[in-house]
């Protein structure tokens, strides 16, 4: 069954989700004989190598004595830095062994310390920000995962910036905030696209600038880099400058960076720009109202989303996977509270919504959870 997990593992890896996979392996004394489901023509018991591109790190425990150290390292790695899945291969004979050990105390086994933004780069970023007339904070999946709503909103209000989210970042802040400008990209909204393409400075936090966010990188579609100045903050240095050159690149914890930027100095928000954001928000709401008011024989996805917005409790978590429903919920559903959106934003995996909703319900207990199925789910 190891290879059957590849899609789930790939989903966790691309979406930067911490996940530990324990994979059955051939007995250590039977490697290379070609037992059932062993992949051994290139190298004995080689199946775990097929998962290496889908995980932060993989291990094979050759004996039970190795497991405590491997497990500790796996949990540390998958939950720190840019989070993601790890894989441990456990041969059948090792699974049958036992070991009595004394575990390290949690505080001795890992660190909670995160990289802090360098003061020199905070000053450089502030130098670009202080004169901005049309600033934008672009929040990606990393901002949602970090639960950075407080820091994003505080800086946006002080700076006078619009807040835009990517598909993976939807739900990072409450979408009823007056400076929230919804989304950019190929599945974005008119307000988000207009605000981002006309921005003079964009502060991007926890986003990898994937193709759908960037409309296949056509200048003037989603963004206008390099005319627009870019400050890019991410925990993963590989993302800085990968798709767009950053005028200031900061590799650090984004909550720390946002807080430091908010305290770096004073700003002069443009009331005209804030009024424009309000007008564009109202225009978008009027458009949705008109679309949903049309007479149709059957309920449309847009009407369904509008009704869900009316009747679901504000703290309802909604899980979506690939398909048109995912795209329309991204565009049209308005989360009144943060951290209620669950989607496979990077990998867009069919069939993901139901198990994700089950997991959310188990974790959140009394909080309402909905799985909204799309055409991709029905294809499974």
């Amino acid at each position: 069954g190891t290879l059957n997990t590849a899609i789930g593992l790939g989903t966790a890896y691309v979406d930067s989700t911490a996940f530990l996979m324990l994979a059955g392996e051939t007995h250590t004394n039977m490697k290379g004989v070609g037992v059932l489901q062993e992949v051994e023509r290139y190298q004995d018991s080689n199946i775990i190598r097929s998962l290496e591109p889908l995980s932060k790190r993989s291990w094979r425990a050759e004996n039970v004595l190795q497991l405590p150290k491997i497990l500790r390292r796996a949990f540390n790695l998958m939950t720190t830095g840019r989070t993601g899945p790890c894989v441990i291969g456990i041969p059948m004979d090792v699974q049958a062994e036992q070991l009595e050990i004394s575990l390290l105390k949690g505080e001795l086994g890992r660190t909670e310390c995160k990289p802090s933004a360098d003061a020199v780069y905070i000053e450089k970023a502030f130098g670009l920000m202080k004169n901005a007339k049309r600033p934008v904070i672009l929040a990606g999946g990393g901002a949602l995962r970090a639960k950075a709503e407080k820091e994003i909103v505080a800086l946006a209000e002080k700076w006078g910036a619009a807040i835009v989210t990517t598909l993976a970042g939807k739900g990072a802040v409450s979408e009823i905030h007056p400076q929230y400008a919804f989304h950019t990209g190929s599945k974005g909204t008119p307000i988000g696209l207009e605000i981002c393409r006309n921005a003079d400075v964009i502060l991007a936090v926890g986003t990898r600038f994937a193709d759908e966010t960037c409309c296949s990188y056509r200048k003037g579609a989603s963004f206008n880099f390099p005319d627009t100045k870019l400050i890019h903050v991410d925990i993963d240095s590989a993302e800085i400058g990968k798709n767009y050159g950053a005028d200031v690149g900061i590799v650090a914890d984004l909550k720390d960076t946002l807080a430091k930027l908010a305290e770096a100095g004073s700003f002069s928000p443009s009331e005209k720009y804030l009024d424009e954001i309000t007008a564009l928000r109202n225009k978008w709401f009027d458009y949705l109202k008109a679309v949903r008011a049309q007479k149709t024989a059957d309920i449309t996805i847009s009407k369904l989303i509008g009704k869900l917005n009316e009747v679901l409790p504000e703290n309802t978590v909604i899980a979506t996977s690939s398909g048109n429903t995912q795209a329309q919920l991204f565009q049209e559903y308005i989360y009144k509270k943060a951290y209620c959106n669950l989607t496979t934003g990077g990998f867009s995996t069919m069939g993901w919504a139901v198990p994700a909703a089950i997991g959310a319900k188990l974790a959140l207990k009394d909080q309402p959870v909905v799985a909204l199925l799309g055409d991709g789910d029905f294809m499974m």
Side-chain angles (χ1 to χ4, degrees), residues 26-354:
T26 307
H27 307 69
T28 56
N29 66 316
M30 296 283 281
K31 290 195 301 182
V33 304
V35 299
L36 184 66
Q37 296 184 352
E38 181 186 8
V39 178
E40 40 69 44
R41 294 180 192 172
Y42 175 78
Q43 180 177 309
D44 294 347
S45 193
N46 203 32
I47 198 169
I48 197 171
R49 287 203 63 196
S50 66
L51 304 178
E52 287 179 1
L54 306 177
S55 60
K56 289 187 72 174
R57 178 69 152 79
S58 60
W59 291 264
R60 178 185 164 97
E62 296 291 337
N63 63 69
V64 72
L65 293 170
Q66 294 177 308
L67 274 174
K69 179 181 286 187
I70 290 174
L71 283 165
R72 185 169 67 249
R73 292 175 67 192
F75 274 98
N76 284 352
L77 185 60
M78 71 185 191
T79 57
T80 56
R82 183 173 185 168
T83 53
C86 289
V87 178
I88 303 177
I90 308 179
M92 289 292 291
D93 53 327
V94 177
Q95 292 182 36
E97 294 180 24
Q98 61 182 23
L99 178 70
E100 289 188 12
I101 62 167
S102 296
L103 295 174
L104 278 177
K105 292 182 179 180
E107 61 270 22
L108 298 179
R110 57 172 294 158
T111 178
E112 296 296 332
C113 184
K114 297 178 180 179
S116 180
D118 188 285
V120 172
Y121 288 90
I122 292 295
E123 185 177 351
K124 286 183 178 180
F126 177 72
L128 291 178
M129 295 167 64
K130 65 181 180 180
N131 296 318
K133 302 301 181 185
R134 303 181 61 82
V136 172
I137 298 176
L138 178 69
L144 175 62
R145 196 169 297 103
K147 293 189 174 181
E149 180 189 32
K150 177 182 176 182
E151 290 79 9
I152 291 172
V153 169
L155 179 57
E157 290 178 347
K158 186 171 183 179
W159 190 19
I163 304 169
V164 176
T165 53
T166 68
L167 174 61
K170 185 178 175 68
V173 301
S174 167
E175 297 183 330
I176 61 174
H177 191 282
Q179 287 167 234
Y180 186 73
F182 293 91
H183 324 293
T184 190
S186 58
K187 295 184 176 70
T189 55
I191 173 177
L193 286 159
E194 182 170 343
I195 286 291
C196 284
R197 75 166 67 98
N198 293 320
D200 53 3
V201 177
I202 291 180
L203 171 63
V205 291
T207 179
R208 59 197 177 100
F209 285 108
D211 65 318
E212 288 198 346
T213 299
C214 305
C215 291
S216 296
Y217 308 100
R218 290 171 297 163
K219 189 175 186 295
S222 286
F223 305 108
N224 254 311
F225 304 125
D227 298 340
T228 299
K229 299 301 180 183
L230 174 61
I231 303 163
H232 195 176
V233 182
D234 205 280
I235 197 74
D236 185 354
S237 60
E239 295 298 343
I240 307 295
K242 184 179 79 174
N243 292 326
Y244 290 117
D247 296 278
V248 180
I250 301 176
V251 180
D253 173 62
L254 63 87
K255 293 178 73 171
D256 170 77
T257 305
L258 288 164
K260 287 180 176 178
L261 289 173
E263 297 301 320
S266 59
F267 299 97
S268 301
S270 167
E271 292 298 328
K272 181 180 178 181
Y273 180 54
L274 294 174
D275 289 344
E276 180 184 341
I277 295 170
T278 299
L280 288 171
R281 279 174 58 87
N282 291 335
K283 184 178 179 180
W284 176 238
F285 297 150
D286 290 343
Y287 170 79
L288 291 179
K289 185 177 180 180
V291 167
R292 293 166 182 170
Q294 294 178 11
K295 300 294 183 181
T296 56
D298 300 303
I299 190 170
T300 64
I301 295 177
S302 186
K303 289 182 178 181
L304 172 63
I305 292 171
K307 185 57 66 175
L308 291 175
N309 243 148
E310 291 177 17
V311 302
L312 290 178
E314 291 185 356
N315 64 337
T316 300
V317 172
I318 302 178
T320 59
S321 41
S322 67
N324 189 61
T325 305
Q326 178 194 45
Q328 277 196 250
L329 187 103
F330 170 57
Q331 293 172 335
E332 298 184 23
Y333 193 85
I334 301 169
Y335 286 100
K336 299 178 180 68
K337 291 186 176 295
Y339 319 137
C340 291
N341 185 52
L342 269 182
T343 196
T344 169
F347 212 58
S348 196
T349 307
M350 290 188 293
W352 185 88
V354 171

